[in-house]
Structure formats: structure tokens, C-alpha cells
Amino acid sequence: MILFEEPLKKAIIVNRRNRFVMDVLVDDLLTPCHCPVTGRIGDIIFENIPCLVSETYDSNRKTRFTVEAISVDGEQWIGINQGRVNDYVEAFLLENQLDAFSTPRGIKREIVTDGARIDFQIDGIFMEVKAPLSELLTIPLPHFKRRRVKRPIETERLIRHLYALISTLPQTGRAVLLYVFLYDAPIYTGNPNRKQDHLIRQLINDAIPSGLEIWQLNCTISPEGIRLLRCFDTTSHFK
């Protein structure tokens, strides 16, 4: 388990004020908390949702707390802080816990190639990390109030990174697209509701024979830290 510097606090989200702020009951005080996701989080309506928050002591921050996870059933949690995902991935790599890379020796982060910034270069192999949250609408959360989603999920950034990742294959012969979920998600094969889903699937399918691999990493989050549940190859599900 990757331990947090301080255990997360249990709290209650009263509402999502805007893209950046959630009003949260922390220690029985209504407190504005940073929302680390500027886009949609599934189709969930944030009214009285249990959550976990981290505390910062940075005097320059406008909000003292960040919402790190929301509750599924009061006991299990879904991590929502996408900004910390790459740190978790690097920690798992350093501990040799990712089956996609056996005993990595050289790890670099944020390497620019073909006009895009790729998250990792591991022993010369490029890996882009994605942590979908809009796809929470595909899993059962029976006690959450949900809204009908009409707006397509934007995918321009994913397409740009896919082109850059694929451009490395002639030199390396291998590249990895890693989908990370901070909960035990089902096998992810994309979202037919997202904009240009067909193009994304076609790009992936065409690049697989040249060495593109798709992997999925499922984790579990608790107040104490984050634990890797499983890391598995899902390439065959995209063919």
C-alpha cells in the first residue's frame, strides 16, 4: 500500500458549487473544498455524498481541503483525484508492482514527442496514462441520484496523445496505453457515448499489430492509502 502522509478525513459533500469547488461538511463545518476534477464525474448529482478529503497547509491555497474520493456504499471508495494518478503509477513502478513492466530500470516523466507530452518513458518505452471518471456512469451506484447525460464526452486530448504514442512505435516496437481506475472497475473498452469513439477504437485497433498494448490498473483507496488490486492486459478487448 502507498500510505498518505496523513490519513484522509471522512466528510459529506453537500453540493458541487462549480467546476472547482465542492461544499463539504468537514468535522461538522460547511467548508469549500477543492474539486480535483474540472469535468463531469459520471452522471452523479452531488447531494449528501460521503467523501474522503485531504488537508493542505499551503497558505497560498484558497481551499484548505481537497476531495480525494467519494463513497460507493459508506465502506468502499472511488478515488476522483486524477492529478495524483501518475504519482501512484510511478510508486507502483518503483515497487515493481506493474505487470506491464518487469523490473523497470529507467523511469522518466512527461516526455514531449510528436507535439504531445507523454506521461512516462520506461526503459525507452512510452506509456500514456488515462484515468476516466466520466465512465462512472457505466457502473451501478444504486443509491446515488443521477442525471441524464446528453453532452458527449470530449476526447480531443486522448486522440492527440494516441497519435503521439503511436508515432513512437517505429522506433520502439512497443507502447502502452494504461487506463487507471481508483476503484475495482470492470474491464474498460471505451465509451460509445463519447465524441469520436469510433475513431479512437480504430486508431487503437490499427496500431495493435505494430506493438500498441492496452492495460488496465485497478486500485482501492482508503483513508490510510491506496493499494493496487490488479494490473492486466486488455489489448484483446480492443481488437
Side-chain angles (χ1 to χ4, degrees), residues 73-85:
D73 56 10
E75 298 271 333
Q76 302 178 57
W77 304 94
I78 293 174
I80 65 168
N81 193 342
Q82 295 167 308
R84 301 186 69 175
V85 166

Side-chain angles (χ1 to χ4, degrees), residues 117-217:
R117 193 180 300 274
I118 301 298
D119 291 317
F120 288 93
Q121 188 181 30
I122 306 158
D123 298 338
I125 305 301
F126 288 87
M127 180 173 74
E128 178 64 18
V129 176
K130 297 298 179 187
L133 280 175
S134 50
E135 278 70 15
L136 283 176
L137 57 90
T138 65
I139 67 172
L141 303 174
H143 76 287
F144 283 166
K145 290 176 65 177
R146 310 174 77 120
R147 67 179 183 272
R148 185 186 180 108
V149 174
K150 296 181 180 179
R151 182 170 60 87
I153 300 166
E154 296 302 322
T155 54
E156 287 80 5
R157 191 166 181 267
L158 171 58
I159 292 172
R160 184 170 71 253
H161 285 150
L162 258 179
Y163 276 120
L165 198 62
I166 292 168
S167 74
T168 69
L169 290 172
Q171 291 76 39
T172 63
R174 185 188 183 211
V176 175
L177 176 62
L178 178 68
Y179 284 108
V180 177
F181 296 89
L182 303 182
Y183 61 97
D184 195 12
I187 294 174
Y188 178 69
T189 59
N191 188 331
N193 293 320
R194 69 185 170 186
K195 187 178 179 181
Q196 302 188 62
D197 182 72
H198 177 74
L199 172 61
I200 292 168
R201 294 187 64 85
Q202 192 64 53
L203 284 172
I204 291 173
N205 188 269
D206 290 348
I208 287 174
S210 300
L212 179 65
E213 299 174 12
I214 317 299
W215 285 72
Q216 181 168 326
L217 176 64

Side-chain angles (χ1 to χ4, degrees), residues 1 68 72 82 88 96-97 107 136 160 167 173 178 215:
M1 174 182 281
E68 298 285 347
V72 175
Q82 295 167 308
Y88 300 149
N96 195 28
Q97 293 191 44
I107 302 172
L136 283 176
R160 184 170 71 253
S167 74
L178 178 68
W215 285 72

